Amino acid sequence: MQKVAILGIGQTPISENWDKSLREIAGDSAFAALQDAGLEKVDALFVGNMLSPLINAQNQLGTLLADWIGLWHQEAVKVEAACGSGAAAFRAALMAVASGEVESALALGVEKMSDRTSHDVTAALATAADADYEAEAGVSFVGLNALVMQRYLHEFGWQHADFAPFSINAHANAMHNPYARLHEKITAERFERSAMVATPINLLDASPTGDGAAAAVLVPAHKVASLKNRPRLLVAASSASTDTIAVHSRKDPLFLNAAYASARRCYEMAGLAPQDLDVFELHDAFTIMAALSLEACGFAERGRGVQLGLDHEITPGGRIPICTRGGLKARGHPVGATGMYQIVEVAQQLRGECGATQVEGARTGMAQNIGGSGATVVTHILRAD
Amino acid sequence: MQKVAILGIGQTPISENWDKSLREIAGDSAFAALQDAGLEKVDALFVGNMLSPLINAQNQLGTLLADWIGLWHQEAVKVEAACGSGAAAFRAALMAVASGEVESALALGVEKMSDRTSHDVTAALATAADADYEAEAGVSFVGLNALVMQRYLHEFGWQHADFAPFSINAHANAMHNPYARLHEKITAERFERSAMVATPINLLDASPTGDGAAAAVLVPAHKVASLKNRPRLLVAASSASTDTIAVHSRKDPLFLNAAYASARRCYEMAGLAPQDLDVFELHDAFTIMAALSLEACGFAERGRGVQLGLDHEITPGGRIPICTRGGLKARGHPVGATGMYQIVEVAQQLRGECGATQVEGARTGMAQNIGGSGATVVTHILRAD
C-alpha cells in the first residue's frame, strides 16, 4: 500500500448550532482543512455521517457537500458505520489515495443533531443497534451500554465512583480546547451526584451529542515535505474490524473483540507496541467504553482499565494520555463526525498545537472510533515524520 | 492501480418479498456470490444501500450483514450515494483491493422497500434530492424527472410516444431474466395508454421499485485464472463523478455532465471508444434517463438519444444493446441494489449466460449507475480476459 500523509486539518466548534445548516457546518470544516493544506480542491470527497437521512431528510450527502464546497464534478460518496462513520470515511479516503485512483482526498465527518427533539434523536441513535433483535425490544443505545457497565461492575467488583477519573480528565482537558462542547471542570463529588440516565450510567458517564464537523486532506506521502516547524504526518496504520451487531450475541460482552483485532493489526502495521504510543484518542461515548477500549487495546488487563484512571495514567502527563482535547465526553459526540475529530486531534498533538494539554514530544498517536456497542471499530495510527 | 477481477456473482429475484427480511435478502445474494467464487469468506464487505435508516430502522448495515453472513471480525461498511449506492459500494471494494489493504472483498447492494407504504417510500426517495431547495418545495423524485423530460420534449421536438422503444426493449428482455420484477411484454399502444404519474412520465416510463440484492466478489486479478469456458472478468475501468445535487442549479439540465465525465474517464482508462462496447447497462429509472445517458456517454448527439430506440439499435442484436436483462424498467429498481445488479448483469453477458438476450461474442461491457437526477454517477467497464 502506498504511504499516505495528512496535509491539512479542520474542525468546527461543537455546539447546538441554530444558525447554521448541515451543509454550512460541513463546509466550515472543509474550507479550514483545505486552507490548512494550501489546496483549493481535491479529487474526491468521503463523507462520514450517520443520521442525515433521519434527522435532516437528506441522503446523497457526499454529492450535496461536494456541490456546496465547490468540488464540482469530483467524486463524492457517503460512508456510514453508525458512530464509527467518521473514521470509516477517513479509511475510505485513505484506500482511494493508496490505490492510486485519486491523487488527493478530503475525509469529512459531519453531524447536525439539534434540528430534532431528543426523543427523535434517541430513536435515530437506536438504528445503530440490531433493529429486529435489540431496538425492537425497546432498548435504547444508552440502555445497551448500561447493561454492559452493570455487568462490568458486578464481574470485576468496581464501584461506580471508580469511573470518575475518565470524566474528570475529559472535562479538564476540554477546558483548553476552543472547539469543545463543554467547558466545565467537574469533581468526583459532582460525578457521583449527577442525574441517573440508565442505571448505572449517569449524566457525567455519558457524552453529549451536538452539531459539528471535522475534516482532513490526504495525499500520497511522497508529495509532502517535512518542514522544520511542521512535521509530515504519516498514516502509519489503518484497520477496521467488526463484532456481532447485537451485544447479546457475544460470548463475552465485556471484551471489545473488534477493538482488539483492529488495534492489534495497527500495531503490526506500524511496528509498534501499545507502550510506544504517546497519545490515544479513544471512543469514550460512555465511561465504560473508555475502560473497555483501554483493555482491548493492550493498556490494561481485562477488568483493570479503570485502574489507569485511578492511577492518573490517562492525563496528558500520564503513561497513556487519552481524551486530550476532551474526548467524546467533553469535546462532544456529533456521532458521524466524532471519528474525524479524533484524527484531527491526534494530528494536533503531533504538530504540538495542544497548549496546556499538549503531550510533550508526541510522535505517534492512535485514534479509535467505534460504531454501535463495539460492533464496528476503525483504528488509525499517525506518526510525525 | 493493481488490476482487480470479479471472481463470483450472485443476485436474488426482485419482488415484493414479504417472506424475507432485509438481512435475509442480502444474505441470499452474498451466499450465491461466495459460492460462485468458490470462497467461504472474504476480508471485507462493502454494502450499497440508500433507504435502510428510513424504511428498515437500521443503520450500521455493513456490520449487521457481516454478522449475518458469517464474516465475523471482518471489515464492513455501508456506502451511500442515493440510487447510485450499489456501484459506489463496488468502487469502494475495488479501491480496497487495489490498494492492497484487503485481499478479497464482497460488494453487495441491497434494498428492502416493501415494508412501508408508497407514501413513506416516496418521501424516503425524495431524500436523494436537495432537502432544503428541492424536497422542501414539495417536488418528488419522479416530479424532478418529469420536469426534465418535459423540457426535453419541448427543446428537441420529440413526442412522448418516441420513448416507447426504451420501455418495450426492457420489458422484452426481462421476459428471459428469472430475477426480473416484471415478466410482461408491452406494446407501443399500451405504452401510450398507460396511466400518467407526473406529466409527461407515465407508468411505463417509470421503473418499479422492489426488494432485492446483488453481489460480487473482487480479488486481485493475478489470483484468477482464465478458464476455457469461463473467462477472467477484469475491471477495466472505474470512475465516479458528480454534478450539482439540485437540477435547477445546472446550466443545462438536459445534459448529464457527471455521466459524461465518468464515462469519458472510463474510456480513457480502458483504452476504448463508445463503439467498442458490446453491452451497456444504463440507469433507466425513467425513459428520459435512458436517452440522456446514451447522449452523455457518446452513443448519440444531444437530443438524439431517442432515435437509437426508434432505429432498434438498443436491442440485444443492435449497435448498442441496453437493459439486456430488463434494465431498471423491467428487471426492477431496488434503489441501493441497482448498481450491483448492473455489474452482475454485465458479468453474465461476458460469461455468455444470458440465453435469448445474450449479446453474441460480448467481450466488453459498461455499467453506469446514477444517484439522484444525474447528481452522482459511477461507471465501470468490465472486460472478458
Side-chain angles (χ1 to χ4, degrees):
Chain A
M1 170 166 138
Q2 174 170 244
K3 278 279 172 207
V4 176
I6 294 177
L7 190 59
I9 53 175
Q11 60 187 317
T12 70
I14 297 173
S15 66
E16 289 182 23
N17 199 329
W18 304 103
D19 298 329
K20 294 199 173 187
S21 69
L22 174 67
R23 75 187 78 192
E24 288 172 311
I25 292 170
D28 287 351
S29 73
F31 297 134
L34 288 167
Q35 189 170 24
D36 188 47
L39 295 180
E40 286 196 355
K41 64 191 294 187
V42 288
D43 286 350
L45 171 66
F46 295 84
V47 175
N49 172 272
M50 175 183 175
L51 298 174
S52 81
L54 294 164
I55 301 285
N56 317 101
Q58 186 67 65
N59 260 307
Q60 209 175 184
L61 194 59
T63 300
L64 179 99
L65 294 181
D67 186 2
W68 176 253
I69 295 166
L71 298 177
W72 296 301
H73 305 314
Q74 304 303 76
E75 174 168 13
V77 79
K78 184 183 85 177
V79 174
E80 189 272 326
C83 300
S85 299
F90 185 84
R91 180 163 161 80
L94 177 74
M95 293 195 290
V97 175
S99 73
E101 266 293 284
V102 303
E103 284 290 301
S104 57
L106 184 65
L108 189 159
V110 61
E111 206 76 68
K112 176 84 166 87
M113 306 173 74
S114 299
D115 295 355
R116 295 289 190 90
T117 63
S118 303
H119 176 268
D120 285 350
V121 171
T122 298
L125 289 171
T127 61
D130 188 313
D132 296 346
Y133 298 101
E134 290 184 315
E136 188 66 23
V139 66
S140 69
F141 196 63
V142 60
L144 279 169
N145 283 274
L147 292 170
V148 172
M149 188 169 182
Q150 187 72 31
R151 182 78 201 168
Y152 188 93
L153 295 176
H154 170 80
E155 193 81 34
F156 300 117
W158 297 103
Q159 301 298 310
H160 178 263
D162 298 327
F163 287 79
F166 291 122
S167 196
I168 291 169
N169 172 62
H171 276 268
N173 294 341
M175 295 296 290
H176 308 282
N177 178 6
Y179 301 102
R181 174 92 159 88
L182 303 176
H183 294 110
E184 204 178 347
K185 269 198 154 174
I186 64 158
T187 61
E189 292 67 39
R190 190 167 154 209
F191 178 78
E192 274 306 276
R193 277 201 328 267
S194 180
M196 194 53 71
V197 179
T199 312
I201 291 179
N202 75 19
L203 202 61
L204 287 178
D205 284 300
S207 55
T209 61
D211 307 333
V217 174
L218 293 95
V219 294
H222 66 83
K223 297 213 167 178
V224 186
S226 194
L227 302 176
K228 197 178 160 195
N229 45 13
R230 186 158 155 177
R232 186 168 74 150
L233 297 183
L234 291 180
V235 183
S238 171
S239 174
S241 187
T242 58
D243 204 338
T244 64
I245 191 161
V247 175
H248 61 242
S249 298
R250 298 179 198 156
K251 281 184 187 150
D252 180 356
L254 298 183
F255 190 75
L256 298 177
N257 278 297
Y260 168 77
S262 170
R264 191 178 54 172
R265 179 156 151 72
C266 278
Y267 295 147
E268 284 168 10
M269 289 177 81
L272 294 175
Q275 58 268 26
D276 299 325
L277 290 173
D278 298 312
V279 56
F280 178 23
E281 290 301 334
L282 52 70
H283 193 91
D284 58 323
F286 304 98
T287 50
I288 179 64
M289 291 303 287
L292 295 182
S293 296
L294 286 166
E295 295 169 21
C297 296
F299 297 101
E301 297 294 310
R302 283 195 67 220
R304 303 291 301 164
V306 174
Q307 192 64 47
L308 287 170
L310 295 171
D311 293 345
H312 307 286
E313 298 287 22
I314 60 172
T315 61
R319 186 153 65 86
I320 182 63
I322 65 171
C323 308
T324 64
R325 305 289 279 163
L328 281 63
K329 178 65 203 80
R331 170 244 293 136
H333 184 26
V335 292
T338 289
M340 283 308 306
Y341 275 96
Q342 295 174 311
I343 298 271
V344 164
E345 290 163 354
V346 170
Q348 288 185 304
Q349 282 287 356
L350 303 188
R351 286 181 4 181
E353 298 172 349
C354 295
T357 63
Q358 178 64 43
V359 174
E360 217 176 316
R363 305 292 297 171
T364 59
M366 185 159 81
Q368 185 172 72
N369 191 198
I370 302 185
S373 308
T376 309
V377 181
V378 187
T379 311
H380 288 93
I381 294 178
L382 307 185
R383 177 187 281 147
D385 196 22
Chain B
M1 171 166 140
Q2 174 171 244
K3 279 277 172 209
V4 176
I6 295 176
L7 190 58
I9 52 175
Q11 60 187 317
T12 70
I14 298 175
S15 66
E16 291 182 21
N17 199 330
W18 305 103
D19 297 328
K20 292 199 175 188
S21 69
L22 174 67
R23 75 188 79 191
E24 289 173 310
I25 292 170
D28 286 352
S29 74
F31 297 134
L34 287 168
Q35 189 169 26
D36 188 46
L39 295 181
E40 286 197 356
K41 64 193 291 187
V42 289
D43 286 350
L45 171 66
F46 295 83
V47 174
N49 171 273
M50 175 183 176
L51 298 174
S52 80
L54 293 163
I55 301 285
N56 315 101
Q58 187 67 65
N59 261 307
Q60 209 177 186
L61 194 59
T63 300
L64 179 97
L65 295 180
D67 185 3
W68 177 252
I69 295 166
L71 298 175
W72 296 301
H73 306 314
Q74 304 303 75
E75 174 168 12
V77 79
K78 185 183 83 177
V79 174
E80 189 273 325
C83 300
S85 300
F90 184 84
R91 180 162 160 81
L94 177 74
M95 294 196 289
V97 175
S99 73
E101 268 292 284
V102 303
E103 284 289 302
S104 57
L106 183 66
L108 188 159
V110 61
E111 207 75 69
K112 175 86 166 86
M113 306 174 73
S114 299
D115 296 355
R116 294 289 191 92
T117 63
S118 304
H119 175 269
D120 286 348
V121 171
T122 299
L125 289 172
T127 61
D130 189 312
D132 295 346
Y133 299 101
E134 291 184 316
E136 188 65 24
V139 66
S140 68
F141 195 64
V142 59
L144 279 169
N145 283 275
L147 292 169
V148 172
M149 188 169 183
Q150 187 71 29
R151 181 78 201 168
Y152 187 94
L153 295 177
H154 171 80
E155 193 79 36
F156 301 115
W158 297 102
Q159 301 299 309
H160 178 263
D162 298 326
F163 287 79
F166 291 123
S167 196
I168 292 169
N169 172 62
H171 277 265
N173 294 340
M175 295 296 290
H176 308 283
N177 178 6
Y179 301 101
R181 174 92 158 88
L182 304 175
H183 293 110
E184 204 177 347
K185 269 199 155 172
I186 65 157
T187 61
E189 294 66 39
R190 192 168 151 207
F191 178 78
E192 275 305 276
R193 279 201 329 267
S194 181
M196 192 55 69
V197 179
T199 313
I201 291 180
N202 74 21
L203 202 61
L204 288 178
D205 284 299
S207 55
T209 61
D211 308 332
V217 174
L218 292 95
V219 293
H222 66 83
K223 297 214 167 179
V224 185
S226 193
L227 303 175
K228 195 179 162 196
N229 45 13
R230 184 156 156 177
R232 187 168 74 149
L233 297 184
L234 291 181
V235 183
S238 172
S239 174
S241 186
T242 58
D243 205 338
T244 65
I245 190 161
V247 175
H248 61 243
S249 297
R250 298 178 197 158
K251 281 184 189 155
D252 181 355
L254 298 183
F255 190 76
L256 298 177
N257 277 297
Y260 168 77
S262 170
R264 192 180 53 173
R265 179 155 152 73
C266 278
Y267 295 147
E268 284 169 11
M269 288 177 81
L272 294 174
Q275 58 268 26
D276 299 325
L277 290 173
D278 299 313
V279 57
F280 178 24
E281 289 302 333
L282 53 69
H283 193 92
D284 59 324
F286 303 98
T287 51
I288 178 64
M289 291 303 287
L292 295 181
S293 295
L294 286 166
E295 295 169 19
C297 296
F299 297 100
E301 296 294 311
R302 282 196 69 221
R304 303 291 300 165
V306 173
Q307 193 63 47
L308 287 170
L310 295 170
D311 292 345
H312 308 287
E313 298 288 20
I314 60 171
T315 61
R319 187 155 63 86
I320 182 63
I322 64 171
C323 307
T324 63
R325 305 289 279 163
L328 280 64
K329 178 66 203 80
R331 169 243 294 136
H333 184 26
V335 291
T338 288
M340 283 308 306
Y341 275 96
Q342 294 174 311
I343 298 271
V344 164
E345 290 163 354
V346 170
Q348 289 185 303
Q349 282 288 356
L350 303 189
R351 287 179 6 178
E353 299 172 349
C354 295
T357 63
Q358 178 64 42
V359 175
E360 217 176 316
R363 304 291 298 169
T364 59
M366 185 158 80
Q368 185 171 71
N369 190 201
I370 301 185
S373 307
T376 308
V377 181
V378 186
T379 311
H380 288 94
I381 294 178
L382 308 185
R383 177 187 280 147
D385 197 23

